Amino acid sequence: MATFPSITPTYGMRKNSKPKVRVSSLGDGYEFRAVYGLPLSQDPKVYDLTFNVSETQADVIEAFLRSRVNDQASFTFTPPAEGFTKTGLYSQSATTVTITISNHGIAIGDVLTIDYTTGSATDGTFVVASSADANTFTVTAASSATNSGNVSITLSGAGQYVCDTWTKTIPYNERAIITTTFREVFEP
């Protein structure tokens, strides 16, 4: 799997979300809303990015994107400021692990790398099972236990993307502006 070159887009990117929701309008004005699809793929993102770079960097970006068109493969990309690492506390009862971090910013279905820095819980990658409020959420452990301690969580922010279209502008000598649209895809 190819990874997008480590060239950062300029300030002013746009992120679009369009959750997959089906709405049924009922006769009395009420609505029934249901998300559909697998939990991890219900909210694909689309990023409109601009790269204001040297002509050499523009050539690297274009060559990378043309290669993805030729091999019809997605690529790994981490949008700026989308990932983070935070620390907090955890308590485990049976297989439910409750993690407390002030203003965690985690949503149900997010995939986290969890490092239990104290206690005897097993580190690994977990999917957020529930989010009670802005400060607590739960994951499900592989085995039952009772313990607690400190924890460090990492949300990588990386995802699989395709770029269906891009534009290159050369405003002056040795500089280029590439505007792209990266669409998140979900692949095994």
Side-chain angles (χ1 to χ4, degrees), residues 44-125:
K45 306 293 185 247
V46 176
Y47 290 91
D48 293 324
L49 305 167
T50 301
F51 296 87
N52 190 344
V53 294
S54 69
E55 181 63 35
T56 304
Q57 289 177 313
D59 291 343
V60 169
I61 293 170
E62 268 200 304
F64 178 84
L65 296 175
R66 277 195 321 270
S67 294
R68 300 300 67 80
V69 169
N70 291 338
D71 64 15
Q72 292 296 295
S74 62
F75 55 90
T76 303
F77 175 70
T78 304
E82 288 295 298
F84 56 79
T85 298
K86 296 182 178 184
T87 58
L89 302 172
Y90 81 94
S91 63
Q92 180 176 355
S93 176
T95 59
T96 300
V97 180
T98 301
I99 298 175
T100 303
I101 298 174
S102 295
N103 299 315
H104 56 68
I106 301 296
I108 296 170
D110 282 349
V111 177
L112 305 173
T113 301
I114 298 179
D115 176 18
Y116 297 100
T117 54
T118 60
S120 60
T122 304
D123 298 344
T125 301

Side-chain angles (χ1 to χ4, degrees), residues 138-176:
T138 66
V139 297
T140 303
S143 59
S144 184
T146 302
N147 53 50
S148 61
N150 296 324
V151 66
S152 174
I153 64 161
T154 300
L155 177 67
S156 78
Q160 295 306 117
Y161 293 86
V162 295
C163 180
D164 299 319
T165 183
W166 66 91
T167 303
K168 178 179 179 181
T169 307
I170 302 172
Y172 49 91
N173 194 25
E174 297 299 320
R175 294 301 296 174

